[in-house]
Amino acid sequence: MTEGQGKTLRDVAIGESVTVRRLTGEGAIKRQIMDMGITKGTDVFVRKVAPLGDPIEVTVRGYELSLRKSEAENILVSLA
């Protein structure tokens, strides 16, 4: 986990649903995440993780999306 900030999407277990609390990325990274439909208050379900842990497949707003770990650690979440 990221120290002092709470749980990130990278830390969520397979089969768990969470709600996005906030995005910590800067500039282009934050914009790219928001363009994928991941914004504050959005529910995210972690479907599966690749064998080596990268990427993570999630369901957001009714569609499947693959995120790299580096993107997922910029998304702070809380249990849904």
Side-chain angles (χ1 to χ4, degrees):
M1 270 194 238
T2 315
E3 67 274 343
Q5 293 185 347
K7 193 172 190 176
T8 66
L9 189 57
R10 181 179 180 171
D11 304 318
V12 177
I14 297 169
E16 202 171 10
S17 289
V18 293
T19 302
V20 176
R21 282 194 351 215
R22 72 182 181 104
L23 304 176
T24 61
E26 293 291 322
I29 295 170
K30 188 172 183 176
R31 170 58 54 198
Q32 181 182 8
I33 292 169
M34 291 176 73
D35 286 347
M36 289 186 252
I38 300 173
T39 57
K40 184 177 179 179
T42 304
D43 291 328
V44 178
F45 175 74
V46 178
R47 294 192 43 155
K48 55 185 165 181
V49 178
L52 296 177
D54 202 13
I56 301 167
E57 186 173 313
V58 298
T59 301
V60 179
R61 300 180 189 262
Y63 65 92
E64 280 76 41
L65 178 67
S66 291
L67 293 170
R68 294 188 179 277
K69 279 185 175 181
S70 60
E71 295 167 332
E73 63 191 10
N74 288 314
I75 304 168
L76 293 175
V77 297
S78 60
L79 291 177

